[in-house]
Amino acid sequence: MKTIHNKPFQEKQSIELAVGTFTISTILFMLYIISNENPNVLVIAWPFALVAIVVNLIMFFHLAEKFIHLPQQRKDIGFKILLLLSNIPITFLYYLVVMRS
C-alpha cells in the first residue's frame, strides 16, 4: 500500500518572482509619471519588461508542468499560476498609459 502525503507545494520562487516583477514595474511606471514622461526612464523600463516576460513565461511553464504531474497539490500550484498571471492585465494597463501619453 502506498502512503500519500498531502504536503503543501514548497516552491516559493514563483511568488517572489510575481511580487518582484510587479513591484519593479510599478516603481518604473511611477518614476516615468513623476519625471513628466521622461523617455530616459523607458530606456530602463523596456528591457526590464522584456526580460520579465521571458522569465515569467519560463516560470509559468514550470508551474504548468508541476500542475500536471502533481495532482494532489493542484490547489497550491493553481494559486501560484493565477498570481503569476495577474501581472498581465496590470502590465497591460501600464503599457496603455505610457503609449497614450
Side-chain angles (χ1 to χ4, degrees):
M1 194 175 229
K2 188 176 181 181
T3 304
I4 297 175
H5 300 286
N6 288 333
K7 297 186 290 187
F9 189 58
Q10 294 297 322
E11 192 271 332
K12 295 180 182 178
Q13 290 84 8
S14 62
I15 294 174
E16 293 170 356
L17 178 66
V19 171
T21 55
F22 170 75
T23 303
I24 293 171
S25 63
T26 301
I27 289 170
L28 288 171
F29 177 70
M30 289 186 332
L31 187 61
Y32 178 75
I33 298 299
I34 291 170
S35 69
N36 291 324
E37 300 168 2
N38 186 350
N40 292 331
V41 176
L42 296 178
V43 171
I44 299 168
W46 286 119
F48 169 77
L50 292 175
V51 170
I53 288 170
V54 170
V55 173
N56 280 302
L57 275 174
I58 292 169
M59 182 58 75
F60 172 75
F61 288 123
H62 166 73
L63 288 173
E65 187 261 334
K66 294 294 182 187
F67 187 82
I68 293 168
H69 293 295
L70 299 173
Q72 67 274 19
Q73 297 177 346
R74 284 189 176 159
K75 184 177 179 182
D76 293 335
I77 298 169
F79 174 76
K80 291 178 183 193
I81 289 173
L82 288 175
L83 185 66
L84 193 66
L85 293 177
S86 68
N87 279 333
I88 294 172
I90 296 165
T91 305
F92 185 67
L93 176 69
Y94 292 167
Y95 173 77
L96 288 177
V97 170
V98 168
M99 288 297 116
R100 293 188 191 254
S101 56

